[in-house]
Amino acid sequence: MKIDDFYNDYSRNYEKVIRLPLVDRFMINRDRAVFDFLPNSKDSVILDFGCGTGYYLMPLVKSAKKIVAIDASKGMIEVLRKRINKYRIKKIKTRIASIENFETKEKFDLILSIGVFNYLDDIELVLSKTYNLLKRGGTFIFTVPDRNNVFGWLYAMFWRIFNVKNKLYNKNDLVDALENTGFEVVGVKNDKNNFPTFHITIKAVK
Ligand SMILES: C[S@@+](CC[C@H](N)C(=O)[O-])C[C@H]1O[C@@H](n2cnc3c(N)ncnc32)[C@H](O)[C@@H]1O
């Protein structure tokens, strides 16, 4: 099954599922890891790669100057657009696009990609794209499921039921890939310092 088809169907229930008991235990820890890593800056220009319904963007709206939110799934973007209209948020620009095909001349202070790189085929290519889209000194925060975590394996099995490709990652491989791209890795959280979680959350700076 193609990922955008899956998320088109799932879009209306996505935020209900992440609030289910047990699932929310994992989410709370990932949220904490992501929000701990956010730079304390104002007037940032932010890009969210695979923004989904905008779950991670809402708390950032107040302090951001502009947010560009892209996702391959029309359904997920439509949930976000409804929310933007409901709260009359002018700062968020949405685009239905895959990360691989996304083009812009704009440069960003912060790029987020939460729970998305596990669906991508060529992570090196996307890391280099991310690097080029950041301003010097800009921050990249992303999460992927952990290959060295039993919950990561359970998560991957869930996706296999739906016949959706979903990769697991190893922390050291990610750090190497980021450093080879030119990033400086400034923080990593996984089950060693953020239990229970099946995510590796990484903060890297250009
Ligand atoms: C688990 S959801 C995460 C959404 C959001 N980042 C969050 O944490 O709430 C994964 C999202 O990645 C999007 N996605 C997957 N592959 C993508 C790609 N190649 N380009 C853009 N979006 C993609 C899906 O459509 C989906 O909305």
Side-chain angles (χ1 to χ4, degrees), residues 3 7 69 85 123 126 136 138 183 194 199:
I3 191 69
Y7 274 102
N85 291 339
I123 187 173
V126 178
R136 188 142 296 281
F183 282 104
N194 202 35
H199 287 102

Side-chain angles (χ1 to χ4, degrees), residues 3-4 7-8 10 14-15 18 27 30 48-56 70-74 76-77 97-100 113-120 143 155 159:
I3 191 69
D4 45 337
Y7 274 102
N8 285 341
Y10 185 28
Y14 177 72
E15 290 200 19
I18 61 180
M27 288 302 296
R30 185 173 76 173
D48 190 348
F49 261 164
C51 59
T53 58
Y55 175 81
Y56 283 96
I70 77 146
D71 199 284
S73 158
K74 186 166 181 268
M76 295 295 265
I77 287 280
S98 74
I99 298 174
E100 295 87 339
S113 195
I114 310 302
V116 184
F117 274 36
N118 36 309
Y119 303 112
L120 307 182
T143 80
Y155 182 71
W159 285 100

Side-chain angles (χ1 to χ4, degrees), residues 177-194:
L178 284 156
E179 289 177 350
N180 289 339
T181 312
F183 282 104
E184 182 194 347
V185 175
V186 293
V188 180
K189 296 207 184 201
N190 59 6
D191 65 341
K192 304 284 178 291
N193 55 5
N194 202 35

Side-chain angles (χ1 to χ4, degrees), residues 109-169:
D109 300 292
L110 170 67
I111 300 183
L112 289 178
S113 195
I114 310 302
V116 184
F117 274 36
N118 36 309
Y119 303 112
L120 307 182
D121 287 325
D122 190 344
I123 187 173
E124 269 85 13
L125 188 98
V126 178
L127 283 180
S128 127
K129 181 166 205 166
T130 306
Y131 187 83
N132 291 331
L133 286 166
L134 274 176
K135 296 180 188 169
R136 188 142 296 281
T139 302
F140 176 42
I141 299 171
F142 75 109
T143 80
V144 281
D146 193 342
R147 190 196 299 158
N148 303 107
N149 182 318
V150 65
F151 298 113
W153 283 95
L154 291 173
Y155 182 71
M157 275 165 62
F158 165 83
W159 285 100
R160 230 164 272 154
I161 295 169
F162 296 99
N163 204 17
V164 173
K165 251 191 302 176
N166 196 305
K167 285 198 214 160
L168 298 174
Y169 283 93

